[in-house]
Amino acid sequence: MARLVLLGALLGALCATAVQGSLDGSQVEAGLGRQPKDKPHEYNYNRHGIDWRDEGLDNCAGSMQSPINIDMATLNRGEERSDVSGLYLNGLASPAYDVAADVTVNAEQDMKITFKDVAQNNMPAIKIDGSDMLFKPMQLHFHHFLSEHAINGAHYPLEAHLVMGDASGNTNQLAVLGIMYQYGEQPDDFVQRLQTKTIDEIATNGAGYGETVNVTDLSVNIMKDVLPPTHHNYVGYDGSLTTPPCDERVKWHVFTEPRTTTTGQLEKFLMIAKRGHTDAIVTNNRIVQPIGRPLYHYKPTPAAYNYARKGFDWEASNLMNCVGDRQSPINIPSPDTPSEFSNYNNGALQEIPPSNRISLNGLTSQSFTFTDAYVNLEQDMKISFTAPTNNLPTISINGNEESFRPIQLHFHHFSSEHTVGGMIYPLEAHLVMASQAENSNQLAVIAIFYEYGSEADDFLTRLHTEAISAQQGNANWGDNNVPINLPITFATDLMPSSQGYFAYDGSLTTPPCDQRVKWIVMKEARTTTAEQMETFKTATVNAHYAAEVVNNRVIQNKAGRPVYSSP
């Protein structure tokens, strides 16, 4: 029994070592708010926590205990949760935000990683009872061979818990991210680095299994190393620590998309656990608890990128193809702007040569209409549609005239992506078109600016009316490809009164940032109102609470590219 008591003191399965036994000053400062106890809690995983509740161990018999089984068919929508917002990941969703480079690792069951140094800016946040609360990542640990939470009645072989405390230190509120791992053919890169570096540190520097090991070069980037690879959908609920003292002070966020692990990585968890404590139970999970409370389904913005740093982090992290000499958007030189404005504005406008001739063709016709529209009820309000196949706009590329068929329309709101002479517009629409040439992946995008005025834009009014009507019917904010009755005639709905434009070669303005876009930026702006902009904001925040309302990438260096001007 003595060895089990000792094991209980050292286990870290969900804050075990962060809150049980003893607390150092940094943990109290992080908001855990518990004073040291004379002796560690006496628990083990022999009965997977059934005995904790039966024996009333600490607070393990409450009504909001964790973990739980999550039935995806019975969840409430995240926006229906009145007292708690979703989780604003902020820096945690950036590929440039490393939590720590130097960490300590418990070389035993759960392999708890304690972060020594966490950036104080751009920390994740949750609004609780009307107040914004920032959370500081404190530690990451693993439950192996059987996840603690179950989804639709089934467990995963591995579950990681990222534990965060109130950054102000004023409360003992915790927030925990639960990430599942499924078996696959490829090992998880981060788990492999963690296990390899810990084992190497023990072998080379005299540390022992069962001890806390200093690992000086284990950089942890939550987006790339911990969060799911494709999307950040998760289930939120109020619960508890999953080890004694089982305090019911945790805002849980259990992500529904798993990462991948292998049996080889699970075997290393077993080896490290047994070498740390020979009598350790390698399946270190607590059994699921009664639910008896609402669960909420959240669908945040895609994991691949966000606008928290306006795209600076995409380039700094070499995200996809976002580093190159033909990136977009750019600042377009204006005859009224000095050329010494820097390379973001230098170079005179040039006349469009015949080899780059652009013909809008059917886009200027009242009969050229896009039909069968579907809208994304979220940030950018992307509209997919069916466009005509004849009389398409054409662009001369390397002496060959290629036709381009419109495929979708979306918006960048509250700050245009392109600027003209350094001037920012409040709204920019992008009509994306695909080349119809065989074996071509060339794109062309027509950009339309909007400026504030006294008159609302008729097309935006129709779009917003249809979107709100759909949301009030059978659709929800955040739903994609929602059918709406919105025929679109470019000549009247999107074309400014003047057909003058700027043109240059660039890229997509979001990852993957592929440099295969012929940009056509209309010179004259259409008009919008503050009320119409408010609808874009409503769609954004109601669909994905963590989404940036201002969804523009910062302007890129022109790197000597010519910018052409039509009459």
Side-chain angles (χ1 to χ4, degrees):
M1 183 63 180
R3 284 187 297 177
L4 292 179
V5 172
L6 177 60
L7 174 62
L10 294 172
L11 287 175
L14 186 50
C15 302
T17 52
V19 298
Q20 73 172 65
S22 63
L23 290 173
D24 60 30
S26 64
Q27 291 166 338
V28 174
E29 181 180 307
L32 291 178
R34 261 192 184 280
Q35 297 302 314
K37 291 194 172 185
D38 294 333
K39 63 178 182 178
H41 290 280
E42 299 181 9
Y43 74 92
N44 58 50
Y45 287 102
N46 286 343
R47 297 185 61 198
H48 296 285
I50 294 175
D51 48 334
W52 308 343
R53 175 179 280 274
D54 290 347
E55 297 171 7
L57 184 62
D58 294 313
N59 301 314
C60 296
S63 60
M64 292 198 304
Q65 289 293 287
S66 297
I68 59 172
N69 174 57
I70 296 168
D71 183 350
M72 297 297 294
T74 62
L75 300 177
N76 299 290
R77 289 160 47 200
E79 55 265 32
E80 296 174 351
R81 195 176 185 183
S82 59
D83 58 332
V84 180
S85 75
L87 172 68
Y88 297 82
L89 286 168
N90 297 333
L92 295 190
S94 169
Y97 189 94
D98 288 340
V99 171
D102 296 341
V103 301
T104 60
V105 178
N106 287 4
E108 59 182 358
Q109 185 191 61
D110 88 0
M111 289 199 75
K112 187 185 77 169
I113 307 166
T114 301
F115 306 129
K116 295 180 180 179
D117 186 22
V118 177
Q120 299 299 305
N121 62 315
N122 209 14
M123 286 189 288
I126 304 174
K127 186 182 289 291
I128 301 176
D129 294 328
S131 299
D132 290 326
M133 183 178 291
L134 295 177
F135 283 86
K136 180 180 180 180
M138 300 185 304
Q139 55 108 322
L140 174 72
H141 64 267
F142 296 87
H143 297 269
H144 31 70
F145 290 96
L146 203 63
S147 62
E148 295 220 293
H149 290 88
I151 297 179
N152 290 334
H155 287 276
Y156 287 86
L158 183 66
E159 180 176 349
H161 290 166
L162 177 68
V163 182
M164 305 185 294
D166 177 7
S168 71
N170 295 328
T171 74
N172 67 354
Q173 181 68 61
L174 297 176
V176 180
L177 277 56
I179 297 91
M180 304 297 185
Y181 295 72
Q182 63 184 357
Y183 282 125
E185 295 182 358
Q186 297 298 319
D188 183 85
D189 289 341
F190 173 69
V191 171
Q192 185 163 301
R193 283 192 290 119
L194 166 64
Q195 293 177 335
T196 300
K197 287 181 178 295
T198 302
I199 293 170
D200 288 348
E201 185 69 26
I202 292 172
T204 58
N205 294 326
Y209 288 100
E211 299 178 2
T212 298
V213 178
N214 289 312
V215 181
T216 58
D217 58 349
L218 182 71
S219 179
V220 184
N221 181 278
I222 300 301
M223 175 186 167
K224 293 185 287 188
D225 296 334
V226 180
L227 292 177
T230 304
H231 65 73
H232 289 165
N233 296 350
Y234 68 84
V235 176
Y237 75 97
D238 290 334
S240 74
L241 304 173
T242 65
T243 57
C246 306
D247 289 350
E248 295 177 344
R249 53 190 174 98
V250 178
K251 300 297 182 185
W252 274 100
H253 311 81
V254 181
F255 289 80
T256 56
E257 182 192 14
R259 293 173 69 92
T260 300
T261 189
T262 61
T263 55
Q265 291 186 325
L266 268 293
E267 186 178 12
K268 282 192 172 65
F269 278 116
L270 183 150
M271 181 271 290
I272 293 170
K274 284 297 188 182
R275 289 189 179 181
H277 304 286
T278 57
D279 54 358
I281 305 298
V282 296
T283 306
N284 60 331
N285 76 304
R286 185 189 191 188
I287 194 170
V288 294
Q289 303 295 302
I291 300 177
R293 72 210 97 153
L295 311 181
Y296 299 92
H297 194 195
Y298 295 88
K299 300 177 181 180
T301 50
Y305 67 92
N306 60 47
Y307 289 98
R309 297 187 62 197
K310 300 301 176 191
F312 281 113
D313 48 335
W314 309 344
E315 181 175 351
S317 304
N318 293 313
L319 185 63
M320 300 184 188
N321 299 317
C322 296
V323 178
D325 57 3
R326 289 189 293 127
Q327 290 291 291
S328 297
I330 62 170
N331 179 63
I332 296 170
S334 168
D336 301 325
T337 306
S339 61
E340 62 268 20
F341 186 77
S342 85
N343 195 36
Y344 291 87
N345 188 61
N346 67 3
L349 294 168
Q350 302 179 26
E351 290 187 11
I352 296 180
S355 59
N356 285 37
R357 185 176 59 250
I358 298 171
S359 299
L360 296 178
N361 296 333
L363 289 181
T364 64
S365 170
Q366 299 276 353
S367 61
F368 196 90
T369 299
F370 314 146
T371 57
D372 302 323
Y374 293 82
V375 67
N376 290 357
L377 297 177
E378 59 181 358
Q379 183 192 65
D380 87 4
M381 296 193 79
K382 186 182 82 170
I383 308 166
S384 303
F385 46 71
T386 300
T389 57
N390 61 331
N391 201 18
L392 296 173
T394 60
I395 302 176
S396 294
I397 302 176
N398 298 324
N400 298 315
E401 192 170 82
E402 293 188 19
S403 296
F404 286 81
R405 189 182 185 191
I407 54 176
Q408 58 108 321
L409 173 72
H410 64 267
F411 297 87
H412 297 269
H413 31 72
F414 292 95
S415 176
S416 61
E417 295 218 293
H418 291 88
T419 59
V420 179
M423 186 174 76
I424 301 171
Y425 289 89
L427 183 66
E428 181 176 340
H430 288 169
L431 179 69
V432 182
M433 306 186 294
S435 172
Q436 302 301 287
E438 187 176 357
N439 298 323
S440 174
N441 67 351
Q442 183 70 57
L443 297 175
V445 179
I446 300 178
I448 303 102
F449 294 122
Y450 293 74
E451 61 187 1
Y452 283 121
S454 59
E455 297 294 329
D457 183 87
D458 290 340
F459 171 69
L460 293 181
T461 296
R462 288 193 291 120
L463 166 61
H464 293 163
T465 299
E466 284 292 319
I468 292 171
S469 177
Q471 185 271 330
Q472 293 175 345
N474 296 322
N476 299 315
W477 293 120
D479 288 351
N480 288 342
N481 299 316
V482 176
I484 55 174
N485 181 20
L486 188 73
I488 305 171
T489 301
F490 185 87
T492 54
D493 293 333
L494 295 167
M495 176 75 79
S497 57
S498 168
Q499 295 183 22
Y501 60 84
F502 306 105
Y504 76 99
D505 290 339
S507 73
L508 301 173
T509 64
T510 58
C513 307
D514 290 347
Q515 297 181 158
R516 54 188 176 99
V517 178
K518 296 289 185 181
W519 278 97
I520 305 165
V521 182
M522 306 306 295
K523 290 182 177 181
E524 186 175 348
R526 292 175 68 91
T527 302
T528 187
T529 62
E531 290 75 18
Q532 290 186 321
M533 298 299 293
E534 183 70 21
T535 304
F536 283 112
K537 174 185 175 182
T538 298
T540 300
V541 299
N542 284 326
H544 307 298
Y545 49 85
E548 294 286 329
V549 173
V550 185
N551 61 332
N552 72 299
R553 185 189 191 188
V554 71
I555 58 171
Q556 303 295 299
N557 194 317
K558 290 203 301 298
R561 280 174 286 172
V563 179
Y564 303 104
S565 176
S566 78

